Amino acid sequence: MYTSNHSVKVINMDSMRTDIMNLLYSECGLAGLIFLLCLLYLPAKPPTPPSTSASVQRTNYKESLGSVARNKSLILLGLANAIPNGVFGSWQAVLDVLLDPVGMNQSEVGWLGFYMTAAGGVSGLLIGRFSDIFLRHTKFFLILMNGGAVLGYVWFSLMSSGIIPISKVEIYISAIIGGMLINGSFPLVYEMGSELAFPVSEAVVGGLLTCFMEIFAILFLLVLLIPDIGTSWMNWSLSGSLLLGFVLLFLFPARYKRTDINNVVVHVNAEDKYDDSVNRNTITGYLASYDE
């Protein structure tokens, strides 16, 4: 039995358990299929590097850890991403609790979360394409998207708190706009991080940014352990974290190491294949011109 502010709902636990297990079995089957395909065919690398920077030797794991720890620009970017997005991930998981007082049931909230995520995927593709066209403007796109997310979720928080008149349509619009911009910014964050940390491996950078984000997601969930903490703080904590991340985006200097390397003219041998040894001094000189 589930009790809300508006009604008492009887839930068939056996049916719910069956649905959850069917979902888990389906996800396991898809993951197993992908794993099998990877075992059958997954090249270690393409026949030729897709770009000049791809042919540059990455630093080893131990040196990479030291490099990213000293990279203040990367740390600032990581915090600007982790604080709002870590909170957003945990906030979205309890969205049904937050919207129950405004009369939205669990099914409606589930579809709202789906629309937020789907819109983020579409916006990520579109913004990524614009970022490819307008090189060296990744930071600008990040600021633009995070600023829009701040406005969207401040609007959402004002309605949820009863400060301005509430409308289910406006709840949908504000939540989807915010989710679209937050989820759509993920690819740009990892791209910007790889630019700042180059020639550190993109895998190390991605792991670091993800760890930052998970830390703040856990901190948000730990607050829920405080007795009688309520839920009214959650929407405003999301808005506040987005605003803090938005400010931090202005503080880190954007440096596009990979893009600059890719603009270097690299000679190829007679077979039109990259030679790792050519122009190594030129590339090294470009990297040395940047201050960590």
Side-chain angles (χ1 to χ4, degrees), residues 55-57 261 266 275-287:
S55 66
V56 176
Q57 181 67 37
I261 291 298
V266 178
D275 183 349
D276 287 342
S277 64
V278 299
N279 277 350
R280 187 177 298 277
N281 292 334
T282 302
I283 293 174
T284 302
Y286 268 83
L287 293 177

PDB file of all heavy atoms in Angstrom, residues 55-57 261 266 275-287:
ATOM      1  N   SER A  55      47.375  10.099 -33.367  1.00  0.00           N
ATOM      2  CA  SER A  55      48.641   9.405 -33.584  1.00  0.00           C
ATOM      3  C   SER A  55      49.681   9.742 -32.526  1.00  0.00           C
ATOM      4  O   SER A  55      50.761   9.156 -32.511  1.00  0.00           O
ATOM      5  CB  SER A  55      49.194   9.756 -34.973  1.00  0.00           C
ATOM      6  OG  SER A  55      49.540  11.127 -35.042  1.00  0.00           O
ATOM      7  N   VAL A  56      49.369  10.697 -31.640  1.00  0.00           N
ATOM      8  CA  VAL A  56      50.313  11.089 -30.597  1.00  0.00           C
ATOM      9  C   VAL A  56      50.265  10.079 -29.456  1.00  0.00           C
ATOM     10  O   VAL A  56      49.194   9.702 -28.994  1.00  0.00           O
ATOM     11  CB  VAL A  56      49.967  12.502 -30.063  1.00  0.00           C
ATOM     12  CG1 VAL A  56      50.884  12.879 -28.905  1.00  0.00           C
ATOM     13  CG2 VAL A  56      50.078  13.528 -31.179  1.00  0.00           C
ATOM     14  N   GLN A  57      51.421   9.651 -29.000  1.00  0.00           N
ATOM     15  CA  GLN A  57      51.506   8.697 -27.907  1.00  0.00           C
ATOM     16  C   GLN A  57      50.942   9.307 -26.625  1.00  0.00           C
ATOM     17  O   GLN A  57      51.320  10.403 -26.224  1.00  0.00           O
ATOM     18  CB  GLN A  57      52.966   8.281 -27.687  1.00  0.00           C
ATOM     19  CG  GLN A  57      53.175   7.271 -26.579  1.00  0.00           C
ATOM     20  CD  GLN A  57      52.559   5.923 -26.909  1.00  0.00           C
ATOM     21  OE1 GLN A  57      52.574   5.484 -28.047  1.00  0.00           O
ATOM     22  NE2 GLN A  57      51.979   5.275 -25.900  1.00  0.00           N
ATOM     23  N   ILE A 261      46.733  20.693 -32.279  1.00  0.00           N
ATOM     24  CA  ILE A 261      47.583  19.666 -32.878  1.00  0.00           C
ATOM     25  C   ILE A 261      46.998  19.197 -34.204  1.00  0.00           C
ATOM     26  O   ILE A 261      47.712  18.980 -35.184  1.00  0.00           O
ATOM     27  CB  ILE A 261      47.741  18.471 -31.913  1.00  0.00           C
ATOM     28  CG1 ILE A 261      48.570  18.884 -30.701  1.00  0.00           C
ATOM     29  CG2 ILE A 261      48.400  17.286 -32.617  1.00  0.00           C
ATOM     30  CD1 ILE A 261      49.976  19.308 -31.023  1.00  0.00           C
ATOM     31  N   VAL A 266      50.663  17.524 -41.058  1.00  0.00           N
ATOM     32  CA  VAL A 266      51.520  16.367 -40.831  1.00  0.00           C
ATOM     33  C   VAL A 266      51.759  15.659 -42.161  1.00  0.00           C
ATOM     34  O   VAL A 266      50.821  15.355 -42.889  1.00  0.00           O
ATOM     35  CB  VAL A 266      50.867  15.404 -39.819  1.00  0.00           C
ATOM     36  CG1 VAL A 266      51.728  14.176 -39.625  1.00  0.00           C
ATOM     37  CG2 VAL A 266      50.654  16.110 -38.488  1.00  0.00           C
ATOM     38  N   ASP A 275      52.899   8.199 -40.059  1.00  0.00           N
ATOM     39  CA  ASP A 275      54.145   7.702 -39.484  1.00  0.00           C
ATOM     40  C   ASP A 275      54.290   8.370 -38.128  1.00  0.00           C
ATOM     41  O   ASP A 275      54.389   9.594 -38.039  1.00  0.00           O
ATOM     42  CB  ASP A 275      55.316   8.052 -40.408  1.00  0.00           C
ATOM     43  CG  ASP A 275      56.641   7.504 -39.889  1.00  0.00           C
ATOM     44  OD1 ASP A 275      56.682   7.053 -38.728  1.00  0.00           O
ATOM     45  OD2 ASP A 275      57.625   7.546 -40.648  1.00  0.00           O
ATOM     46  N   ASP A 276      54.306   7.584 -37.050  1.00  0.00           N
ATOM     47  CA  ASP A 276      54.342   8.146 -35.701  1.00  0.00           C
ATOM     48  C   ASP A 276      55.571   8.995 -35.455  1.00  0.00           C
ATOM     49  O   ASP A 276      55.594   9.827 -34.558  1.00  0.00           O
ATOM     50  CB  ASP A 276      54.312   7.018 -34.655  1.00  0.00           C
ATOM     51  CG  ASP A 276      52.933   6.377 -34.575  1.00  0.00           C
ATOM     52  OD1 ASP A 276      51.984   7.007 -35.049  1.00  0.00           O
ATOM     53  OD2 ASP A 276      52.835   5.259 -34.038  1.00  0.00           O
ATOM     54  N   SER A 277      56.615   8.777 -36.263  1.00  0.00           N
ATOM     55  CA  SER A 277      57.862   9.492 -36.008  1.00  0.00           C
ATOM     56  C   SER A 277      57.916  10.854 -36.695  1.00  0.00           C
ATOM     57  O   SER A 277      58.696  11.715 -36.291  1.00  0.00           O
ATOM     58  CB  SER A 277      59.052   8.642 -36.479  1.00  0.00           C
ATOM     59  OG  SER A 277      58.993   8.465 -37.892  1.00  0.00           O
ATOM     60  N   VAL A 278      57.065  11.090 -37.697  1.00  0.00           N
ATOM     61  CA  VAL A 278      57.156  12.337 -38.432  1.00  0.00           C
ATOM     62  C   VAL A 278      56.577  13.473 -37.620  1.00  0.00           C
ATOM     63  O   VAL A 278      55.598  13.315 -36.888  1.00  0.00           O
ATOM     64  CB  VAL A 278      56.430  12.250 -39.801  1.00  0.00           C
ATOM     65  CG1 VAL A 278      57.059  11.191 -40.676  1.00  0.00           C
ATOM     66  CG2 VAL A 278      54.957  11.998 -39.636  1.00  0.00           C
ATOM     67  N   ASN A 279      57.216  14.611 -37.762  1.00  0.00           N
ATOM     68  CA  ASN A 279      56.760  15.836 -37.101  1.00  0.00           C
ATOM     69  C   ASN A 279      56.618  15.687 -35.587  1.00  0.00           C
ATOM     70  O   ASN A 279      55.920  16.452 -34.955  1.00  0.00           O
ATOM     71  CB  ASN A 279      55.431  16.309 -37.680  1.00  0.00           C
ATOM     72  CG  ASN A 279      55.631  17.115 -38.943  1.00  0.00           C
ATOM     73  OD1 ASN A 279      56.743  17.483 -39.292  1.00  0.00           O
ATOM     74  ND2 ASN A 279      54.537  17.384 -39.630  1.00  0.00           N
ATOM     75  N   ARG A 280      57.288  14.693 -34.991  1.00  0.00           N
ATOM     76  CA  ARG A 280      57.193  14.512 -33.542  1.00  0.00           C
ATOM     77  C   ARG A 280      57.707  15.736 -32.807  1.00  0.00           C
ATOM     78  O   ARG A 280      57.146  16.160 -31.793  1.00  0.00           O
ATOM     79  CB  ARG A 280      57.985  13.262 -33.121  1.00  0.00           C
ATOM     80  CG  ARG A 280      57.807  12.908 -31.649  1.00  0.00           C
ATOM     81  CD  ARG A 280      58.553  11.634 -31.327  1.00  0.00           C
ATOM     82  NE  ARG A 280      58.041  10.530 -32.093  1.00  0.00           N
ATOM     83  CZ  ARG A 280      56.972   9.822 -31.752  1.00  0.00           C
ATOM     84  NH1 ARG A 280      56.298  10.156 -30.665  1.00  0.00           N
ATOM     85  NH2 ARG A 280      56.586   8.815 -32.483  1.00  0.00           N
ATOM     86  N   ASN A 281      58.773  16.325 -33.316  1.00  0.00           N
ATOM     87  CA  ASN A 281      59.324  17.515 -32.665  1.00  0.00           C
ATOM     88  C   ASN A 281      58.354  18.688 -32.745  1.00  0.00           C
ATOM     89  O   ASN A 281      58.214  19.476 -31.806  1.00  0.00           O
ATOM     90  CB  ASN A 281      60.659  17.900 -33.300  1.00  0.00           C
ATOM     91  CG  ASN A 281      61.744  16.884 -33.006  1.00  0.00           C
ATOM     92  OD1 ASN A 281      61.682  16.184 -31.998  1.00  0.00           O
ATOM     93  ND2 ASN A 281      62.734  16.799 -33.893  1.00  0.00           N
ATOM     94  N   THR A 282      57.670  18.800 -33.881  1.00  0.00           N
ATOM     95  CA  THR A 282      56.695  19.872 -34.036  1.00  0.00           C
ATOM     96  C   THR A 282      55.544  19.717 -33.038  1.00  0.00           C
ATOM     97  O   THR A 282      55.137  20.673 -32.370  1.00  0.00           O
ATOM     98  CB  THR A 282      56.122  19.869 -35.468  1.00  0.00           C
ATOM     99  OG1 THR A 282      57.205  20.029 -36.392  1.00  0.00           O
ATOM    100  CG2 THR A 282      55.125  20.997 -35.645  1.00  0.00           C
ATOM    101  N   ILE A 283      55.037  18.496 -32.929  1.00  0.00           N
ATOM    102  CA  ILE A 283      53.935  18.236 -32.013  1.00  0.00           C
ATOM    103  C   ILE A 283      54.375  18.454 -30.575  1.00  0.00           C
ATOM    104  O   ILE A 283      53.664  19.065 -29.772  1.00  0.00           O
ATOM    105  CB  ILE A 283      53.408  16.795 -32.217  1.00  0.00           C
ATOM    106  CG1 ILE A 283      52.765  16.683 -33.600  1.00  0.00           C
ATOM    107  CG2 ILE A 283      52.417  16.431 -31.136  1.00  0.00           C
ATOM    108  CD1 ILE A 283      52.337  15.283 -33.962  1.00  0.00           C
ATOM    109  N   THR A 284      55.559  17.968 -30.230  1.00  0.00           N
ATOM    110  CA  THR A 284      56.081  18.150 -28.876  1.00  0.00           C
ATOM    111  C   THR A 284      56.226  19.630 -28.544  1.00  0.00           C
ATOM    112  O   THR A 284      55.944  20.065 -27.431  1.00  0.00           O
ATOM    113  CB  THR A 284      57.439  17.434 -28.724  1.00  0.00           C
ATOM    114  OG1 THR A 284      57.273  16.054 -29.025  1.00  0.00           O
ATOM    115  CG2 THR A 284      57.971  17.596 -27.304  1.00  0.00           C
ATOM    116  N   GLY A 285      56.647  20.404 -29.540  1.00  0.00           N
ATOM    117  CA  GLY A 285      56.786  21.840 -29.322  1.00  0.00           C
ATOM    118  C   GLY A 285      55.465  22.506 -29.045  1.00  0.00           C
ATOM    119  O   GLY A 285      55.367  23.380 -28.183  1.00  0.00           O
ATOM    120  N   TYR A 286      54.406  22.083 -29.742  1.00  0.00           N
ATOM    121  CA  TYR A 286      53.075  22.622 -29.488  1.00  0.00           C
ATOM    122  C   TYR A 286      52.621  22.312 -28.070  1.00  0.00           C
ATOM    123  O   TYR A 286      52.079  23.175 -27.358  1.00  0.00           O
ATOM    124  CB  TYR A 286      52.070  22.063 -30.485  1.00  0.00           C
ATOM    125  CG  TYR A 286      51.892  22.906 -31.722  1.00  0.00           C
ATOM    126  CD1 TYR A 286      52.776  22.806 -32.794  1.00  0.00           C
ATOM    127  CD2 TYR A 286      50.856  23.820 -31.822  1.00  0.00           C
ATOM    128  CE1 TYR A 286      52.621  23.579 -33.929  1.00  0.00           C
ATOM    129  CE2 TYR A 286      50.691  24.613 -32.947  1.00  0.00           C
ATOM    130  CZ  TYR A 286      51.583  24.475 -34.004  1.00  0.00           C
ATOM    131  OH  TYR A 286      51.441  25.249 -35.117  1.00  0.00           O
ATOM    132  N   LEU A 287      52.827  21.071 -27.635  1.00  0.00           N
ATOM    133  CA  LEU A 287      52.400  20.684 -26.294  1.00  0.00           C
ATOM    134  C   LEU A 287      53.177  21.430 -25.230  1.00  0.00           C
ATOM    135  O   LEU A 287      52.641  21.820 -24.198  1.00  0.00           O
ATOM    136  CB  LEU A 287      52.571  19.172 -26.114  1.00  0.00           C
ATOM    137  CG  LEU A 287      51.656  18.303 -26.976  1.00  0.00           C
ATOM    138  CD1 LEU A 287      51.978  16.834 -26.738  1.00  0.00           C
ATOM    139  CD2 LEU A 287      50.202  18.566 -26.654  1.00  0.00           C
TER     140      LEU A 287
END
